[in-house]
Amino acid sequence: MKKYITFILIFAIIGLLFGYLIFGKFAGEYISLNTIFSSSANAIEQFGRNISGLNSIKQNILISGGVGAILGFIIVFIRRK
């Protein structure tokens, strides 16, 4: 069981990396991970994140990680049979 969970986590991390490489660019440069995954301190900062699109970038990267985890689960399920 531990082997399966490790396999799924590895695919989730790979999905996050691919998501960052695909969606992490803003104005031609990659945004730092700290900027993407830090929380907003106040309403003005949250408003700025919404306008600049950081929230959608973060969401797309997390969805990519989820897709990677699902793909890892499917591969584990197929290999188990």
Side-chain angles (χ1 to χ4, degrees), residues 27-79:
E29 295 186 20
Y30 285 104
I31 304 168
S32 72
L33 292 175
N34 190 28
T35 303
I36 293 173
F37 292 109
S38 64
S39 61
S40 301
N42 55 34
I44 295 173
E45 188 175 334
Q46 182 65 32
F47 180 70
R49 285 176 165 271
N50 286 335
I51 289 185
S52 66
L54 283 177
N55 286 338
S56 64
I57 291 172
K58 179 179 179 179
Q59 181 180 11
N60 290 336
I61 292 171
L62 291 176
I63 289 172
S64 299
V67 168
I70 291 170
L71 183 64
F73 177 77
I74 292 170
I75 290 173
V76 165
F77 185 73
I78 291 173
R79 285 181 68 194

Side-chain angles (χ1 to χ4, degrees), residues 1-14:
M1 184 67 162
K2 186 177 181 181
K3 177 181 169 184
Y4 299 134
I5 293 173
T6 304
F7 202 75
I8 292 169
L9 286 175
I10 289 171
F11 269 85
I13 291 170
I14 291 170

Side-chain angles (χ1 to χ4, degrees), residues 15-35:
L16 287 171
L17 289 174
F18 276 115
Y20 179 71
L21 291 175
I22 294 169
F23 300 111
K25 276 192 174 182
F26 185 75
E29 295 186 20
Y30 285 104
I31 304 168
S32 72
L33 292 175
N34 190 28
T35 303

